[in-house]
Amino acid sequence: MDRFQVVLQDRSYPVFVGMGGLEPLGAAMAGVLPAGPCVLVTSPRVGGFHGDAALASLRAAGFSPARVEIPDGEAAKTLDTWVHLVHALLDAGIDRTTPVVALGGGVTGDVAGFAAATVLRGVPLVQVPTSLLAMADAAIGGKTGVNLAQGRNLVGAFHPPRLVWVATAVLSTLDDAEFGSGLGEVVKHAVVADADLFAFLEERHAALRARDPVATAHGVRRCCALKAEIVAQDERDTGVRRILNFGHTAGHALETALGPGTIRHGEAVSVGMLAEARFWAARGGDVEVPARLSALLEALGLPRAPPPVPDAASFARRLVAAAAMDKKSARGTLELPVPVRVGCVRLERIPRDDLHSLLSLLSSPETS
Ligand code: GLY
């Protein structure tokens, strides 16, 4: 296992990354938390694949885990699921020292994390991501929350985990579409901060598309290292961490406008990254970024344009309404991470009126 430390004064935590499975999870957890009761929060689907292995590992290390299931999928990332989970945690008899172990994809991690942040004013959290998207991004950094009708992640809390356990062997149970979506976040990290990773993705795109475990683990490891470093510099997302929002202004608007379950998060980020890179190139930015990005997304089988919609005019209106709720918007301007070159992004404030030209790129036909 590789170990990366998210260095945050008294809230530092380790991120373990390896190609194995969940067997050593309990022992790693016993290294940071006292053995005793804990609650494994998972979905029926992920729990069906990996729940027993996780429970066995926790028991072997001296924990006595309860198990709670919540639905997964973006449509389940709601206040209702959070309420249900908080009741279930209290019914399981937790106290302030009882860790919540989130076993699942980004939705499980975000909802279980938000419950851990809020129940009893906060209990310890362990993140065990099982999707590529959560491994590459969401499980590290302490962002937790749920979506509202008005937009994604509009209610939430920063709640750093005590441990992140990234075991890439569990990706074998992920379906191809979810795996592909996760590659979108891997590409994002490469554009934002790692030109070598970008070159690796270009070179090894066929292996990654075929889900080669070694190539995948390399990509995940690089993303975890980068994320740990960036979060350590800016835990609360007030500065440099915001570069990780590259592709997300357009991507989140797209997800909200299309409605839950229509496009996967990593796919929306894929479309969003290309739109934002093209938008910036049209304003004098680097033209190589959208060109290389478009070729890479295509090679990895990621979308570069939204799916067809029946009513383009109403879709365009929903995009604008969704973008208006963006958390990065302030005093008539919107903060956008813009690519300086592959592997380097900077934050730029753009007039809110320019949003329309950015969003119009989401309705243009797919081109390379
Ligand atoms: N997903 C971006 C961040 O954690 O800041």
Side-chain angles (χ1 to χ4, degrees):
M1 274 329 246
D2 287 302
R3 178 189 166 129
F4 305 103
Q5 188 77 356
V6 181
V7 181
L8 294 171
Q9 294 165 344
D10 60 341
R11 296 178 313 287
S12 296
Y13 55 92
V15 179
F16 291 97
V17 189
M19 290 181 65
L22 300 179
E23 296 74 18
L25 166 66
M29 201 165 123
V32 295
L33 288 162
C38 65
V39 182
L40 182 77
V41 178
T42 189
S43 68
R45 193 178 53 81
V46 171
F49 287 125
H50 305 295
D52 288 346
L55 291 172
S57 164
L58 294 170
R59 285 193 192 104
F63 291 94
S64 28
R67 173 179 178 151
V68 170
E69 289 186 351
I70 55 172
D72 62 8
E74 204 60 36
K77 195 173 154 182
T78 60
L79 284 170
D80 283 348
T81 307
W82 169 74
V83 169
H84 159 80
L85 177 54
V86 166
H87 283 289
L89 292 172
L90 294 170
D91 289 346
I94 62 161
D95 65 32
R96 274 194 170 168
T97 67
T98 311
V100 165
V101 182
L103 172 72
V107 169
T108 300
D110 280 8
V111 178
F114 187 43
T118 47
V119 70
L120 304 178
R121 297 210 177 94
V123 299
L125 172 67
V126 171
Q127 290 282 9
V128 188
T130 59
S131 70
L132 181 55
L133 193 121
M135 290 181 183
D137 188 61
I140 303 169
K143 281 188 182 173
T144 72
V146 296
N147 301 333
L148 299 184
Q150 290 92 331
R152 286 174 45 93
N153 301 323
L154 292 183
V155 177
F158 286 98
H159 190 58
R162 304 290 286 273
L163 166 80
V164 184
W165 184 261
V166 180
T168 59
V170 302
L171 291 173
S172 63
T173 58
L174 195 66
D175 69 47
D176 284 343
E178 282 297 332
F179 184 89
S181 163
L183 288 175
E185 287 285 357
V186 179
V187 172
K188 180 198 78 177
H189 278 93
V191 178
V192 162
D194 193 339
D196 289 345
L197 177 59
F198 197 96
F200 171 82
L201 299 176
E202 287 178 321
E203 196 185 314
R204 302 283 286 144
H205 65 84
L208 285 156
R209 216 172 157 169
R211 305 177 57 155
D212 174 79
V214 176
T216 304
H218 177 75
V220 168
R221 204 177 293 117
R222 286 303 312 149
C223 290
C224 289
L226 286 167
K227 185 90 191 256
E229 213 175 291
I230 291 170
V231 171
Q233 289 173 53
D234 176 22
E235 182 190 13
R236 291 288 170 136
D237 206 17
T238 56
V240 66
R241 181 168 177 175
R242 292 184 175 174
I243 61 174
L244 296 175
N245 288 326
F246 175 58
H248 283 63
T249 301
H252 277 172
L254 188 58
E255 281 178 280
T256 305
L258 288 171
T262 316
I263 190 167
R264 289 176 177 79
H265 178 65
E267 294 167 344
V269 169
S270 169
V271 177
M273 286 190 292
L274 190 55
E276 291 176 15
R278 284 180 172 156
F279 168 85
W280 194 241
R283 276 158 183 72
D286 189 317
V287 290
E288 194 196 45
V289 179
R292 281 178 74 188
L293 182 57
S294 179
L296 177 60
L297 296 176
E298 188 181 24
L300 290 171
L302 280 159
R304 295 173 296 156
V309 288
D311 180 348
S314 136
F315 175 63
R317 280 195 299 277
R318 290 200 304 280
L319 275 174
V320 172
M325 293 303 295
D326 197 296
K327 296 196 289 305
K328 300 177 291 300
S329 175
R331 297 192 199 99
T333 63
L334 180 82
E335 186 183 76
L336 194 69
V338 296
V340 178
R341 58 183 175 276
V342 166
C344 178
V345 156
R346 76 158 192 269
L347 297 173
E348 189 75 24
R349 279 233 157 252
I350 62 160
R352 278 184 61 91
D353 290 346
D354 282 13
L355 249 183
H356 292 271
S357 32
L358 169 59
L359 297 177
S360 71
L361 291 170
L362 295 178
S363 15
S364 49
E366 185 162 330
T367 53
S368 56

mmCIF file of all heavy atoms in Angstrom, residues 58-90:
data_model
loop_
_atom_site.group_PDB
_atom_site.id
_atom_site.type_symbol
_atom_site.label_atom_id
_atom_site.label_comp_id
_atom_site.label_asym_id
_atom_site.label_seq_id
_atom_site.Cartn_x
_atom_site.Cartn_y
_atom_site.Cartn_z
ATOM 1 N N LEU A 58 -13.260 -5.635 9.827
ATOM 2 C CA LEU A 58 -13.454 -4.786 11.013
ATOM 3 C C LEU A 58 -13.526 -5.647 12.279
ATOM 4 O O LEU A 58 -12.899 -5.323 13.292
ATOM 5 C CB LEU A 58 -14.734 -3.952 10.860
ATOM 6 C CG LEU A 58 -14.695 -2.897 9.740
ATOM 7 C CD1 LEU A 58 -16.077 -2.301 9.498
ATOM 8 C CD2 LEU A 58 -13.709 -1.784 10.091
ATOM 9 N N ARG A 59 -14.249 -6.770 12.192
ATOM 10 C CA ARG A 59 -14.366 -7.656 13.376
ATOM 11 C C ARG A 59 -13.002 -8.213 13.752
ATOM 12 O O ARG A 59 -12.640 -8.265 14.935
ATOM 13 C CB ARG A 59 -15.333 -8.806 13.071
ATOM 14 C CG ARG A 59 -16.770 -8.360 13.079
ATOM 15 C CD ARG A 59 -17.745 -9.547 13.102
ATOM 16 N NE ARG A 59 -19.088 -9.057 12.814
ATOM 17 C CZ ARG A 59 -19.721 -9.206 11.653
ATOM 18 N NH1 ARG A 59 -19.160 -9.889 10.651
ATOM 19 N NH2 ARG A 59 -20.916 -8.697 11.482
ATOM 20 N N ALA A 60 -12.240 -8.617 12.746
ATOM 21 C CA ALA A 60 -10.927 -9.220 13.026
ATOM 22 C C ALA A 60 -10.003 -8.237 13.739
ATOM 23 O O ALA A 60 -9.098 -8.641 14.480
ATOM 24 C CB ALA A 60 -10.284 -9.693 11.721
ATOM 25 N N ALA A 61 -10.249 -6.940 13.528
ATOM 26 C CA ALA A 61 -9.401 -5.926 14.169
ATOM 27 C C ALA A 61 -9.985 -5.449 15.494
ATOM 28 O O ALA A 61 -9.479 -4.491 16.085
ATOM 29 C CB ALA A 61 -9.211 -4.741 13.225
ATOM 30 N N GLY A 62 -11.067 -6.091 15.964
ATOM 31 C CA GLY A 62 -11.608 -5.752 17.280
ATOM 32 C C GLY A 62 -12.786 -4.793 17.269
ATOM 33 O O GLY A 62 -13.283 -4.406 18.329
ATOM 34 N N PHE A 63 -13.250 -4.395 16.078
ATOM 35 C CA PHE A 63 -14.434 -3.521 16.018
ATOM 36 C C PHE A 63 -15.700 -4.373 16.070
ATOM 37 O O PHE A 63 -15.694 -5.550 15.676
ATOM 38 C CB PHE A 63 -14.422 -2.689 14.725
ATOM 39 C CG PHE A 63 -13.330 -1.655 14.692
ATOM 40 C CD1 PHE A 63 -12.100 -1.926 14.091
ATOM 41 C CD2 PHE A 63 -13.514 -0.414 15.284
ATOM 42 C CE1 PHE A 63 -11.089 -0.986 14.081
ATOM 43 C CE2 PHE A 63 -12.503 0.539 15.276
ATOM 44 C CZ PHE A 63 -11.289 0.258 14.671
ATOM 45 N N SER A 64 -16.794 -3.792 16.559
ATOM 46 C CA SER A 64 -18.079 -4.498 16.486
ATOM 47 C C SER A 64 -19.017 -3.666 15.612
ATOM 48 O O SER A 64 -19.672 -2.736 16.102
ATOM 49 C CB SER A 64 -18.668 -4.760 17.869
ATOM 50 O OG SER A 64 -18.238 -3.788 18.772
ATOM 51 N N PRO A 65 -19.017 -3.980 14.314
ATOM 52 C CA PRO A 65 -19.737 -3.120 13.364
ATOM 53 C C PRO A 65 -21.225 -3.450 13.258
ATOM 54 O O PRO A 65 -21.615 -4.616 13.199
ATOM 55 C CB PRO A 65 -19.047 -3.424 12.023
ATOM 56 C CG PRO A 65 -18.464 -4.793 12.176
ATOM 57 C CD PRO A 65 -18.202 -5.013 13.636
ATOM 58 N N ALA A 66 -22.066 -2.407 13.232
ATOM 59 C CA ALA A 66 -23.449 -2.534 12.771
ATOM 60 C C ALA A 66 -23.429 -2.209 11.276
ATOM 61 O O ALA A 66 -22.440 -1.649 10.774
ATOM 62 C CB ALA A 66 -24.328 -1.558 13.527
ATOM 63 N N ARG A 67 -24.488 -2.564 10.586
ATOM 64 C CA ARG A 67 -24.537 -2.297 9.145
ATOM 65 C C ARG A 67 -25.835 -1.570 8.808
ATOM 66 O O ARG A 67 -26.907 -1.984 9.228
ATOM 67 C CB ARG A 67 -24.470 -3.634 8.410
ATOM 68 C CG ARG A 67 -24.673 -3.552 6.911
ATOM 69 C CD ARG A 67 -24.564 -4.951 6.337
ATOM 70 N NE ARG A 67 -24.775 -5.006 4.920
ATOM 71 C CZ ARG A 67 -24.222 -5.907 4.123
ATOM 72 N NH1 ARG A 67 -23.428 -6.841 4.629
ATOM 73 N NH2 ARG A 67 -24.468 -5.910 2.838
ATOM 74 N N VAL A 68 -25.700 -0.478 8.070
ATOM 75 C CA VAL A 68 -26.872 0.290 7.648
ATOM 76 C C VAL A 68 -26.788 0.479 6.145
ATOM 77 O O VAL A 68 -25.704 0.764 5.619
ATOM 78 C CB VAL A 68 -26.891 1.676 8.350
ATOM 79 C CG1 VAL A 68 -27.963 2.569 7.749
ATOM 80 C CG2 VAL A 68 -27.118 1.537 9.853
ATOM 81 N N GLU A 69 -27.925 0.317 5.460
ATOM 82 C CA GLU A 69 -27.905 0.504 4.006
ATOM 83 C C GLU A 69 -28.690 1.745 3.598
ATOM 84 O O GLU A 69 -29.747 2.046 4.184
ATOM 85 C CB GLU A 69 -28.473 -0.742 3.325
ATOM 86 C CG GLU A 69 -27.516 -1.917 3.452
ATOM 87 C CD GLU A 69 -27.942 -3.149 2.680
ATOM 88 O OE1 GLU A 69 -29.080 -3.173 2.173
ATOM 89 O OE2 GLU A 69 -27.118 -4.079 2.597
ATOM 90 N N ILE A 70 -28.151 2.443 2.624
ATOM 91 C CA ILE A 70 -28.869 3.582 2.040
ATOM 92 C C ILE A 70 -28.842 3.390 0.524
ATOM 93 O O ILE A 70 -27.924 2.743 -0.001
ATOM 94 C CB ILE A 70 -28.232 4.944 2.425
ATOM 95 C CG1 ILE A 70 -26.729 4.991 2.057
ATOM 96 C CG2 ILE A 70 -28.428 5.250 3.898
ATOM 97 C CD1 ILE A 70 -26.099 6.382 2.250
ATOM 98 N N PRO A 71 -29.823 3.945 -0.189
ATOM 99 C CA PRO A 71 -29.803 3.801 -1.652
ATOM 100 C C PRO A 71 -28.628 4.568 -2.249
ATOM 101 O O PRO A 71 -28.148 5.539 -1.648
ATOM 102 C CB PRO A 71 -31.138 4.409 -2.094
ATOM 103 C CG PRO A 71 -31.622 5.214 -0.951
ATOM 104 C CD PRO A 71 -30.976 4.705 0.295
ATOM 105 N N ASP A 72 -28.120 4.124 -3.398
ATOM 106 C CA ASP A 72 -27.065 4.923 -4.049
ATOM 107 C C ASP A 72 -27.596 5.507 -5.361
ATOM 108 O O ASP A 72 -28.776 5.392 -5.672
ATOM 109 C CB ASP A 72 -25.753 4.133 -4.202
ATOM 110 C CG ASP A 72 -25.903 2.902 -5.066
ATOM 111 O OD1 ASP A 72 -26.976 2.735 -5.682
ATOM 112 O OD2 ASP A 72 -24.951 2.113 -5.122
ATOM 113 N N GLY A 73 -26.738 6.146 -6.103
ATOM 114 C CA GLY A 73 -27.161 6.859 -7.309
ATOM 115 C C GLY A 73 -27.463 8.298 -6.940
ATOM 116 O O GLY A 73 -27.935 8.602 -5.844
ATOM 117 N N GLU A 74 -27.178 9.189 -7.892
ATOM 118 C CA GLU A 74 -27.316 10.638 -7.642
ATOM 119 C C GLU A 74 -28.727 11.004 -7.160
ATOM 120 O O GLU A 74 -28.893 11.896 -6.326
ATOM 121 C CB GLU A 74 -26.970 11.375 -8.945
ATOM 122 C CG GLU A 74 -26.516 12.796 -8.795
ATOM 123 C CD GLU A 74 -25.257 13.011 -7.948
ATOM 124 O OE1 GLU A 74 -24.331 12.173 -7.989
ATOM 125 O OE2 GLU A 74 -25.220 14.036 -7.244
ATOM 126 N N ALA A 75 -29.747 10.273 -7.636
ATOM 127 C CA ALA A 75 -31.124 10.603 -7.257
ATOM 128 C C ALA A 75 -31.361 10.361 -5.769
ATOM 129 O O ALA A 75 -32.326 10.867 -5.196
ATOM 130 C CB ALA A 75 -32.106 9.790 -8.095
ATOM 131 N N ALA A 76 -30.484 9.577 -5.129
ATOM 132 C CA ALA A 76 -30.657 9.281 -3.701
ATOM 133 C C ALA A 76 -29.846 10.223 -2.809
ATOM 134 O O ALA A 76 -29.868 10.098 -1.585
ATOM 135 C CB ALA A 76 -30.234 7.839 -3.426
ATOM 136 N N LYS A 77 -29.155 11.178 -3.443
ATOM 137 C CA LYS A 77 -28.310 12.086 -2.644
ATOM 138 C C LYS A 77 -29.165 13.255 -2.157
ATOM 139 O O LYS A 77 -29.036 14.406 -2.611
ATOM 140 C CB LYS A 77 -27.140 12.556 -3.521
ATOM 141 C CG LYS A 77 -26.020 13.195 -2.743
ATOM 142 C CD LYS A 77 -24.851 13.476 -3.648
ATOM 143 C CE LYS A 77 -24.024 14.604 -3.123
ATOM 144 N NZ LYS A 77 -22.895 14.930 -4.006
ATOM 145 N N THR A 78 -30.062 12.934 -1.241
ATOM 146 C CA THR A 78 -31.101 13.897 -0.856
ATOM 147 C C THR A 78 -31.153 14.079 0.663
ATOM 148 O O THR A 78 -30.631 13.262 1.430
ATOM 149 C CB THR A 78 -32.489 13.375 -1.284
ATOM 150 O OG1 THR A 78 -32.706 12.128 -0.614
ATOM 151 C CG2 THR A 78 -32.576 13.175 -2.786
ATOM 152 N N LEU A 79 -31.873 15.129 1.064
ATOM 153 C CA LEU A 79 -32.125 15.338 2.489
ATOM 154 C C LEU A 79 -32.885 14.147 3.076
ATOM 155 O O LEU A 79 -32.659 13.760 4.212
ATOM 156 C CB LEU A 79 -32.906 16.630 2.693
ATOM 157 C CG LEU A 79 -32.079 17.919 2.545
ATOM 158 C CD1 LEU A 79 -32.995 19.140 2.511
ATOM 159 C CD2 LEU A 79 -31.060 18.058 3.680
ATOM 160 N N ASP A 80 -33.782 13.549 2.290
ATOM 161 C CA ASP A 80 -34.549 12.396 2.797
ATOM 162 C C ASP A 80 -33.621 11.238 3.148
ATOM 163 O O ASP A 80 -33.791 10.587 4.179
ATOM 164 C CB ASP A 80 -35.568 11.913 1.755
ATOM 165 C CG ASP A 80 -36.786 12.820 1.696
ATOM 166 O OD1 ASP A 80 -36.927 13.663 2.605
ATOM 167 O OD2 ASP A 80 -37.569 12.693 0.737
ATOM 168 N N THR A 81 -32.649 10.955 2.295
ATOM 169 C CA THR A 81 -31.717 9.853 2.575
ATOM 170 C C THR A 81 -30.889 10.183 3.816
ATOM 171 O O THR A 81 -30.626 9.329 4.659
ATOM 172 C CB THR A 81 -30.793 9.600 1.364
ATOM 173 O OG1 THR A 81 -31.600 9.428 0.203
ATOM 174 C CG2 THR A 81 -29.934 8.360 1.566
ATOM 175 N N TRP A 82 -30.504 11.453 3.928
ATOM 176 C CA TRP A 82 -29.741 11.886 5.111
ATOM 177 C C TRP A 82 -30.568 11.689 6.390
ATOM 178 O O TRP A 82 -30.074 11.156 7.384
ATOM 179 C CB TRP A 82 -29.330 13.356 4.919
ATOM 180 C CG TRP A 82 -28.781 14.013 6.142
ATOM 181 C CD1 TRP A 82 -27.563 13.822 6.711
ATOM 182 C CD2 TRP A 82 -29.448 14.984 6.959
ATOM 183 N NE1 TRP A 82 -27.431 14.617 7.825
ATOM 184 C CE2 TRP A 82 -28.579 15.338 7.992
ATOM 185 C CE3 TRP A 82 -30.708 15.593 6.890
ATOM 186 C CZ2 TRP A 82 -28.915 16.269 8.970
ATOM 187 C CZ3 TRP A 82 -31.044 16.523 7.857
ATOM 188 C CH2 TRP A 82 -30.153 16.845 8.883
ATOM 189 N N VAL A 83 -31.850 12.108 6.348
ATOM 190 C CA VAL A 83 -32.717 11.943 7.529
ATOM 191 C C VAL A 83 -32.826 10.462 7.883
ATOM 192 O O VAL A 83 -32.658 10.070 9.046
ATOM 193 C CB VAL A 83 -34.128 12.538 7.266
ATOM 194 C CG1 VAL A 83 -35.097 12.139 8.375
ATOM 195 C CG2 VAL A 83 -34.057 14.047 7.152
ATOM 196 N N HIS A 84 -33.077 9.639 6.885
ATOM 197 C CA HIS A 84 -33.206 8.192 7.111
ATOM 198 C C HIS A 84 -31.937 7.652 7.767
ATOM 199 O O HIS A 84 -31.985 6.872 8.725
ATOM 200 C CB HIS A 84 -33.487 7.508 5.765
ATOM 201 C CG HIS A 84 -33.156 6.053 5.737
ATOM 202 N ND1 HIS A 84 -33.988 5.086 6.254
ATOM 203 C CD2 HIS A 84 -32.055 5.394 5.269
ATOM 204 C CE1 HIS A 84 -33.426 3.904 6.107
ATOM 205 N NE2 HIS A 84 -32.259 4.052 5.510
ATOM 206 N N LEU A 85 -30.789 8.087 7.268
ATOM 207 C CA LEU A 85 -29.516 7.567 7.781
ATOM 208 C C LEU A 85 -29.256 8.035 9.213
ATOM 209 O O LEU A 85 -28.808 7.257 10.063
ATOM 210 C CB LEU A 85 -28.371 7.991 6.848
ATOM 211 C CG LEU A 85 -26.969 7.579 7.285
ATOM 212 C CD1 LEU A 85 -26.882 6.073 7.534
ATOM 213 C CD2 LEU A 85 -25.938 7.988 6.235
ATOM 214 N N VAL A 86 -29.544 9.309 9.482
ATOM 215 C CA VAL A 86 -29.325 9.816 10.846
ATOM 216 C C VAL A 86 -30.185 9.023 11.839
ATOM 217 O O VAL A 86 -29.700 8.606 12.903
ATOM 218 C CB VAL A 86 -29.626 11.335 10.908
ATOM 219 C CG1 VAL A 86 -29.741 11.811 12.349
ATOM 220 C CG2 VAL A 86 -28.528 12.111 10.192
ATOM 221 N N HIS A 87 -31.438 8.752 11.475
ATOM 222 C CA HIS A 87 -32.291 7.937 12.359
ATOM 223 C C HIS A 87 -31.685 6.547 12.546
ATOM 224 O O HIS A 87 -31.644 6.027 13.663
ATOM 225 C CB HIS A 87 -33.700 7.815 11.768
ATOM 226 C CG HIS A 87 -34.526 9.053 11.963
ATOM 227 N ND1 HIS A 87 -35.018 9.444 13.181
ATOM 228 C CD2 HIS A 87 -34.925 10.005 11.087
ATOM 229 C CE1 HIS A 87 -35.690 10.570 13.045
ATOM 230 N NE2 HIS A 87 -35.643 10.945 11.790
ATOM 231 N N ALA A 88 -31.211 5.961 11.453
ATOM 232 C CA ALA A 88 -30.658 4.598 11.533
ATOM 233 C C ALA A 88 -29.401 4.573 12.408
ATOM 234 O O ALA A 88 -29.184 3.627 13.175
ATOM 235 C CB ALA A 88 -30.348 4.082 10.133
ATOM 236 N N LEU A 89 -28.582 5.621 12.310
ATOM 237 C CA LEU A 89 -27.365 5.670 13.145
ATOM 238 C C LEU A 89 -27.747 5.775 14.621
ATOM 239 O O LEU A 89 -27.168 5.093 15.472
ATOM 240 C CB LEU A 89 -26.483 6.858 12.742
ATOM 241 C CG LEU A 89 -25.832 6.781 11.352
ATOM 242 C CD1 LEU A 89 -25.145 8.101 11.007
ATOM 243 C CD2 LEU A 89 -24.842 5.632 11.270
ATOM 244 N N LEU A 90 -28.733 6.618 14.907
ATOM 245 C CA LEU A 90 -29.165 6.755 16.307
ATOM 246 C C LEU A 90 -29.797 5.451 16.796
ATOM 247 O O LEU A 90 -29.535 5.007 17.921
ATOM 248 C CB LEU A 90 -30.134 7.932 16.447
ATOM 249 C CG LEU A 90 -29.495 9.304 16.182
ATOM 250 C CD1 LEU A 90 -30.552 10.400 16.097
ATOM 251 C CD2 LEU A 90 -28.451 9.647 17.250
#
